[in-house]
Amino acid sequence: MSVIIRKSLLELLFSGAFMKRWNDKLRPMELVEVDKQAHKMIVAWLLFLLNSGDMEVARKRALGEAIVEGGLFDYLYRLVITDIKPPVFYRIKENPEDYRTLTNWVLNELRPRIMPLGQEFMDRMGEYLMQPEDKGLARRILHAAHLYASYSEFKLLKSINRMDHELTEIEASFVDRLEAMRDLNGVGELLDEDNNVLGRFARMCGRLRFQKRWSQTPRVPETSVLGHMFIVAAYSWFFSTEVGACRARRQNNFFSGLFHDLPELLTRDIISPVKGASREIADLIHEYEIRELNRVVLAPLKEGGYAEIADRLEYFLGLEVGSEFKATFMRDGEVLEASEEQLCGEANRDSLDPKDGPLLKVCDSLAAYIEAHTALKNGISSDQLHHALYRIRMRYNETPVIAGVQVSALLADFD
């Protein structure tokens, strides 16, 4: 069965922007599921690189695939069971029969929206979710990343919940479980984040939850730059599957989506009309982004012994070719631009490490479209939101198919 991405799946993936976390605690800001998932997968990527350096290429690709799919399976599961408090959920998991009953119910709830992804996807998801006791490397990396991302949220609300009787127990649980995973490369650095460049980078990425998109436009729900990056990454993965991307291309597209707005750590979310006011302004902003990215992120990583992480970030962000939205592949260690024909043909091979810039741009636009469309559907009337929908529609009416994706037909489903 071929994979067909539909409106219902895109909206399901976006729905994590509504889902509140730590809902029984006093919070300095709303903490939502999609932000946590973004931070988790950023950390999972760091741990993936640090724990696969000596692997042969095929095994490393398989590990990357398992981490991305496992992260998406976990997210889809959380979208259904989010109101169950963690201690209650852990008790359910201790009883295999109860856990199996709950998981079957979750899969049935998800089935109508994810069935277009094909029976093989459904089977893999069912197998993954039914085996929570699996202690393979991919599962352990995802669990460590989950603990770190959740602990990062906890530290945001710790100081204003000092009278909460659960606080000490919660923190001890996070620390004990992370300490038990120190055998994974990178976990020790994450625990000691104040004193090493890897931990500081992971914490810095989490700060993107503070930056709200469309900051001059009221919306429901508000979305952060961090959450938006995860949505774009998830869309990129599923569309890559739809167009028949090779394993390396799928992973590169996911991680490129996960980091595509990383420079906004340094510049904030500059709105499109400002960027597009003139070529000179756009070039000035881009020049500043790259300079600061090198100074604050890439140079410290390289100097701190994490050159591979910096090199991959450079590739995901398209620094060698001038934009993350250009298609590229690698040959003999050189980054080359690719045409759409090459990317769908000769360059669609794991050995060439291809990456879909135009597909990433489609997913970025679709995420923005759904943000605006959802806000309008929720009763927020705004000229900026209407204009954003019109602008995106016009762009893809002129070019209805990009990177093999029928974009204009997909947007028509939102009428």
Side-chain angles (χ1 to χ4, degrees):
M1 177 180 175
S2 62
V3 173
I4 302 173
I5 307 303
R6 302 190 185 279
K7 169 192 173 186
S8 59
L9 176 63
L10 301 182
E11 290 185 322
L12 174 65
L13 293 167
F14 179 72
S15 66
F18 289 98
M19 294 171 54
K20 307 293 190 292
R21 291 177 53 78
W22 301 94
N23 210 26
D24 59 341
K25 307 297 180 191
L26 180 61
R27 302 179 298 285
M29 58 178 288
E30 287 295 359
L31 300 170
V32 295
E33 187 65 33
V34 74
D35 293 352
K36 182 268 175 132
Q37 293 293 332
H39 202 194
K40 168 186 169 179
M41 293 310 292
I42 286 171
V43 173
W45 175 75
L46 294 172
L47 296 177
F48 162 53
L49 287 189
L50 293 173
N51 288 275
S52 61
D54 58 351
M55 290 183 181
E56 60 181 13
V57 174
R59 187 177 167 214
K60 185 171 182 175
R61 295 287 185 211
L63 177 61
E65 183 108 344
I67 287 170
V68 174
E69 272 208 337
L72 291 170
F73 294 155
D74 287 337
Y75 175 57
L76 290 168
Y77 195 87
R78 288 292 305 165
L79 291 177
V80 179
I81 66 153
T82 188
D83 287 335
I84 300 179
K85 197 170 181 178
V88 177
F89 179 63
Y90 296 145
R91 290 292 297 275
I92 292 172
K93 286 180 75 172
E94 289 172 2
N95 185 313
E97 186 175 342
D98 289 345
Y99 177 76
R100 191 162 46 250
T101 299
L102 175 65
T103 300
N104 277 323
W105 175 76
V106 170
L107 290 170
N108 285 331
E109 289 291 305
L110 290 171
R111 188 178 302 275
R113 293 198 184 187
I114 64 176
M115 198 62 206
L117 296 172
Q119 187 61 47
E120 287 185 9
F121 181 87
M122 286 289 303
D123 291 344
R124 289 197 306 275
M125 183 171 176
E127 182 180 357
Y128 175 90
L129 294 176
M130 286 295 185
Q131 297 178 357
E133 72 284 350
D134 173 30
K135 300 300 182 184
L137 182 56
R139 202 80 173 235
R140 295 193 72 226
I141 284 173
L142 286 168
H143 186 55
H146 154 72
L147 290 173
Y148 175 81
S150 295
Y151 188 31
S152 295
E153 290 179 322
F154 171 81
K155 286 186 279 191
L156 291 176
L157 50 83
K158 176 182 173 182
S159 64
I160 56 174
N161 284 272
R162 295 196 180 280
M163 300 299 291
D164 193 316
H165 69 283
E166 294 181 317
L167 225 60
T168 302
E169 182 181 343
I170 290 172
E171 182 161 29
S173 175
F174 279 131
V175 173
D176 290 347
R177 286 180 291 165
L178 280 167
E179 286 285 355
M181 304 189 82
R182 273 187 180 270
D183 60 301
L184 285 177
N185 294 333
V187 170
E189 288 85 343
L190 294 174
L191 276 165
D192 189 26
E193 62 183 16
D194 290 329
N195 298 312
N196 66 87
V197 65
L198 184 76
R200 288 195 295 272
F201 175 66
R203 182 174 59 191
M204 188 188 305
C205 289
R207 282 172 32 206
L208 282 167
R209 65 165 41 87
F210 303 147
Q211 293 189 28
K212 298 302 180 185
R213 284 170 54 77
W214 311 72
S215 59
Q216 300 175 3
T217 306
R219 288 177 304 118
V220 176
E222 287 190 328
T223 47
S224 72
V225 171
L226 184 62
H228 169 77
M229 295 195 306
F230 177 77
I231 295 298
V232 173
Y235 289 179
S236 296
W237 178 264
F238 288 117
F239 280 117
S240 297
T241 303
E242 181 181 70
V243 302
C246 67
R247 177 175 278 179
R249 189 172 151 206
R250 285 199 301 271
Q251 290 177 39
N252 287 340
N253 290 347
F254 179 87
F255 292 121
S256 294
L258 196 59
F259 288 105
H260 78 282
D261 279 339
L262 182 64
E264 291 183 11
L265 270 171
L266 315 165
T267 62
R268 300 187 188 172
D269 183 26
I270 301 173
I271 59 175
S272 296
V274 173
K275 289 181 179 177
S278 74
R279 183 67 197 176
E280 290 76 16
I281 290 176
D283 289 344
L284 179 66
I285 292 170
H286 183 67
E287 179 186 338
Y288 177 82
E289 284 181 342
I290 301 308
R291 186 174 68 246
E292 288 299 287
L293 189 66
N294 275 299
R295 184 181 70 84
V296 178
V297 176
L298 300 176
L301 284 170
K302 291 176 182 178
E303 293 163 5
Y306 300 101
E308 184 187 6
I309 290 172
D311 291 344
R312 293 309 289 171
L313 286 174
E314 288 178 356
Y315 185 58
F316 294 152
L317 295 170
L319 299 192
E320 297 93 337
V321 294
S323 172
E324 70 273 32
F325 297 132
K326 290 182 178 179
T328 56
F329 64 97
M330 297 188 73
R331 180 177 284 146
D332 300 325
E334 183 181 2
V335 179
L336 303 171
E337 284 192 51
S339 66
E340 185 173 328
E341 292 73 23
Q342 284 179 304
L343 210 58
C344 296
E346 63 189 79
N348 190 33
R349 301 207 311 266
D350 285 352
S351 60
L352 296 178
D353 203 26
K355 178 175 75 74
D356 270 292
L359 181 64
L360 179 64
K361 181 63 177 176
V362 166
C363 296
D364 190 35
S365 298
L366 284 171
Y369 190 93
I370 289 175
E371 287 172 347
H373 183 270
T374 304
L376 288 166
K377 190 169 67 174
N378 287 330
I380 305 296
S381 182
S382 164
D383 289 342
Q384 290 93 333
L385 296 175
H386 283 290
H387 181 66
L389 296 187
Y390 174 79
R391 189 175 66 247
I392 294 170
R393 277 185 177 278
M394 289 302 100
R395 180 192 308 156
Y396 294 110
N397 282 344
E398 293 172 5
T399 314
V401 181
I402 303 287
V405 177
Q406 302 272 351
V407 189
S408 62
L410 192 55
L411 291 176
D413 289 343
F414 286 87
D415 286 338

